[in-house]
């Protein structure tokens, strides 16, 4: 913030509680509330550095992680706005700095939220909308070279879609997602997400199902937006364990991503294609290499090598954490586990907790051929979490062995008491809320 910024009059928790109370009982997606608030704040969304706007269903966070790591390797200051957070609200707001970005501090975030609260004057507004307005304030008042802006839900009526002229629009793989808001067909969902495409602004697109791609192509054509699509204008592949990227500018042979799973090659390729589709940023081959290798994104097939929870597991175990809760994302994680099994075979145990509105059977069916042992746990401090008994019933219907534990600690201790010829591979999964709890309990919160 600038030197004249007011000292916050409340704690961060206090102001979050107050603005949360303004959340409408029923969410009607529209841009009226955010536009009204931004006008009262003198339009900070018009004072941002060049914006890379990212929509899609799967891979948004990982793609942004590659973009940020690459741009920072190129010596640029990079803001980033992502959601949801795992442990602390501050994780959603990363401020660009020389040598690497930092999460916004409590005082700075509190002051921005209080400014939005005052300007909103008690009117109904969603938490995401007021959080997005605060993000625009923070990013407008802190100089940077780029802003990575993740869509919260859908695209057309998402609060981030008030940015009129991003440098580039990006669409990650689309699948069934938030059908209560976006529609019940892949075509309707793709239409909502493709609506981030702006007139004349390049759009870079990951590989899509045919129905979704047809919608994106039609929208790009209507908006006269240059289209850069995977498998058409650019290609990414795995050759001898390395990432090989090619477009009309040439070929790059890069080290494999540190983030685990074959799908991470596609996410990395999308990030490379995005930066090569525009001339806004100067990125050397060395910066691309460093970005792909160094990108980190917590709770997405993340190996927990140490920590309080890891110490409770059977000696020699592998402990993995993945916050995915959508069936499409779960298929990718199951495939990643299959790759691990090919390399180093181990018995697999799943520790799962889910929210009540998720498809538990569809989610867990992806693991049916990999494990018969699942321990279900509650998600702490979440009123809308799925009851362990209900989750256990979904596991039984799949013909899999299931136990219920009081929490992840108890699940780990139960596993430690079993006799394994080979130490197991343990995957904790099912919800980002559970993943956040695990990171905090393990003593390894994201930074």
């Amino acid at each position: 913030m600038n030197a004249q910024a007011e000292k916050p009059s409340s704690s961060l928790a206090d102001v979050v509680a107050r603005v949360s109370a303004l959340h409408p009982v029923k969410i009607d997606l529209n841009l009226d509330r955010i536009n009204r608030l931004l006008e009262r704040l003198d339009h900070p969304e018009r004072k941002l550095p060049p914006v890379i706007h990212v929509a899609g269903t799967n891979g948004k966070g990982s793609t942004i992680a590659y973009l940020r790591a690459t741009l920072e390797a190129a010596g640029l200051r990079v803001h980033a706005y992502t959601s949801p957070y795992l442990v602390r609200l501050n994780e959603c707001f990363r401020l660009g700095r020389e040598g690497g970005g930092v999460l916004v501090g409590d005082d700075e975030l509190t002051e921005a939220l209080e400014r939005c609260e005052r300007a909103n004057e008690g009117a109904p507004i969603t938490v995401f909308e007021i959080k997005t307005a605060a993000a625009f304030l923070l990013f407008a008042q802190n100089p940077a070279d780029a802003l990575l802006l993740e869509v919260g839900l859908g695209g057309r009526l998402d609060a981030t879609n008030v940015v009129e002229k991003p440098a580039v629009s990006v669409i990650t793989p689309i699948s069934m997602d938030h059908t209560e808001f976006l529609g019940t067909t892949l075509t309707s969902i793709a239409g909502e997400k493709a609506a981030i495409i702006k007139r004349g602004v390049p759009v870079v697109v990951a590989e899509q199902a045919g129905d979704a791609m047809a919608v994106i192509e039609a929208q790009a054509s209507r908006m006269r937006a240059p289209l850069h699509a995977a498998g058409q204008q650019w290609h990414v592949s795995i050759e001898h364990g390395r990432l090989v990227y090619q477009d009309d500018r040439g070929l790059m042979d890069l080290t494999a991503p540190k983030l685990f799973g074959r799908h991470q090659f596609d996410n990395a390729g999308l990030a490379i294609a995005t930066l090569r589709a525009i001339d806004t940023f100067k990125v050397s081959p060395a910066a691309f290499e460093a970005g792909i290798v160094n990108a980190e994104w917590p709770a997405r097939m993340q190996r927990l090598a140490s920590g309080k929870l890891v110490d409770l597991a059977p000696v020699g175990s592998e402990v993995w954490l993945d916050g995915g809760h959508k069936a499409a994302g779960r298929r990718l994680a199951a495939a990643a586990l299959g790759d691990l099994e090919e390399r180093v075979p181990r018995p697999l145990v799943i520790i799962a907790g889910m929210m009540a509105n998720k498809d538990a059977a569809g989610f867990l069916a992806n693991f049916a051929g990999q494990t018969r042992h699942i321990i279900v746990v509650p998600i702490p401090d979440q009123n809308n979490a799925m009851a362990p008994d209900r989750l256990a019933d979904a596991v039984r219907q799949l013909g899999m062995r299931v136990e219920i534990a009081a929490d992840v600690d108890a699940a780990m201790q139960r596993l430690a008491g079993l006799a394994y010829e080979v130490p197991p591979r343990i995957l904790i999964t099912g919800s980002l809320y559970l993943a956040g709890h695990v990171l905090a309990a393990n003593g390894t919160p994201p930074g």
Side-chain angles (χ1 to χ4, degrees):
M1 286 293 188
N2 56 35
Q4 281 73 44
E6 298 180 19
K7 183 175 178 58
S9 59
S10 307
S11 71
L12 180 56
D14 288 340
V15 70
V16 168
R18 291 200 303 269
V19 299
S20 296
L22 302 174
H23 197 87
V25 175
K26 182 179 180 181
I27 299 176
D28 57 323
L29 291 182
N30 68 73
L31 298 179
D32 294 343
R33 293 181 294 265
I34 185 73
N35 278 324
R36 181 191 69 242
L37 177 54
L38 291 172
E39 182 177 5
R40 292 177 179 176
L41 293 168
D42 195 26
H43 291 291
E45 81 282 6
R46 299 176 184 174
K47 304 166 187 175
L48 302 172
V51 172
I52 298 178
H53 197 194
V54 183
T57 306
N58 301 299
K60 296 193 298 294
S62 297
T63 300
I64 285 175
Y66 290 119
L67 287 165
R68 181 169 68 83
T70 301
L71 289 169
E72 288 181 346
L76 302 178
R77 298 165 300 173
V78 185
H79 294 328
Y81 180 57
T82 57
S83 59
Y85 62 91
L86 294 169
V87 179
R88 301 169 60 222
L89 176 63
N90 311 56
E91 296 165 36
C92 299
F93 313 82
R94 185 173 289 271
L95 300 178
R97 295 286 188 266
E98 297 271 348
V102 297
L103 298 185
V104 66
D106 283 2
D107 284 353
E108 202 168 4
L109 179 54
T110 302
E111 195 277 329
L113 287 169
E114 284 189 328
R115 281 190 62 190
C116 294
E117 180 188 25
R118 290 193 296 270
N120 187 61
E121 297 180 341
I125 192 164
T126 71
V127 173
F128 184 76
E129 288 164 345
I130 205 162
K131 186 162 70 84
T132 301
F136 291 150
L137 279 177
L138 290 164
F139 299 146
Q141 296 179 7
N142 286 273
D145 303 298
L147 165 57
L148 308 177
L149 186 63
E150 181 184 358
V151 166
L153 193 159
R156 179 173 64 94
L157 297 176
D158 186 77
T160 64
N161 207 29
V162 297
V163 175
E164 296 177 351
K165 195 78 172 179
V168 59
S169 305
V170 182
I171 302 178
T172 70
I174 296 172
S175 60
M176 300 302 289
D177 181 29
H178 294 293
T179 54
E180 68 274 29
F181 296 111
L182 307 180
T184 57
T185 67
L186 190 61
T187 298
S188 64
I189 292 170
E192 293 294 317
K193 295 179 186 290
I196 71 163
I197 298 173
K198 303 297 192 298
R199 185 164 299 280
V201 174
V203 54
V204 184
V205 184
E207 188 172 345
Q208 306 285 348
D211 289 352
M213 193 66 213
V215 171
I216 294 168
E217 289 174 338
Q219 178 68 359
S221 177
R222 277 193 293 272
M223 302 304 290
R224 300 179 182 270
L227 180 65
H228 303 263
Q232 299 178 39
Q233 287 75 28
W234 59 273
H235 305 264
V236 64
S237 60
I238 306 172
E239 296 184 17
H240 306 293
R242 294 178 63 81
L243 185 154
V244 177
Y245 174 91
Q246 187 168 14
D247 59 18
D248 59 5
R249 294 190 179 190
L251 181 145
M252 287 194 293
D253 183 350
L254 304 170
T255 303
K258 180 169 67 175
L259 294 177
F260 190 78
R262 294 183 183 182
H263 59 290
Q264 292 297 352
F265 286 79
D266 296 325
N267 294 335
L270 181 60
I272 295 169
T274 297
L275 297 178
R276 284 166 68 95
I278 55 178
D279 295 321
T280 310
F281 312 105
K282 302 302 180 186
V283 182
S284 68
F288 279 116
E289 175 91 20
I292 299 311
V293 170
N294 294 326
E296 295 182 345
W297 193 236
R300 277 70 169 185
M301 283 307 294
Q302 177 184 359
R303 174 80 182 270
L304 300 180
S306 62
K308 296 176 182 177
L309 288 179
V310 174
D311 291 343
L312 297 175
V315 175
S317 300
E318 288 182 7
V319 180
W320 293 79
L321 178 65
D322 192 90
H325 53 266
K326 299 166 187 165
R330 195 63 357 243
R331 285 192 292 272
L332 297 175
L337 288 169
D339 290 342
L340 281 171
E341 180 65 14
E342 287 182 11
R343 295 184 201 174
V344 183
R346 290 175 181 263
L348 175 65
V349 180
I350 304 292
I351 299 175
M354 299 189 71
M355 299 301 288
N357 63 341
K358 301 304 177 184
D359 176 9
F363 176 85
L364 294 167
N366 291 289
F367 302 109
Q370 296 176 311
T371 182
R372 296 184 61 81
H373 189 185
I374 294 182
I375 302 177
V376 300
V377 296
I379 302 176
D381 306 318
Q382 294 297 326
N383 294 331
N384 294 324
M386 186 177 296
D389 287 345
R390 179 182 157 197
L391 184 53
D393 286 341
V395 177
R396 292 188 188 99
Q397 291 172 12
L398 294 168
M400 303 164 76
R401 174 186 167 196
V402 63
E403 301 177 61
I404 298 175
D407 51 32
V408 175
D409 293 47
M412 288 292 198
Q413 291 169 342
R414 188 171 301 177
L415 292 175
L418 300 178
Y420 287 97
E421 291 185 9
V422 177
R425 179 171 290 125
I426 303 165
L427 175 67
I428 307 170
T429 190
S431 169
L432 282 171
Y433 293 110
L434 178 62
H437 168 75
V438 166
L439 289 172
N442 194 52
T444 51

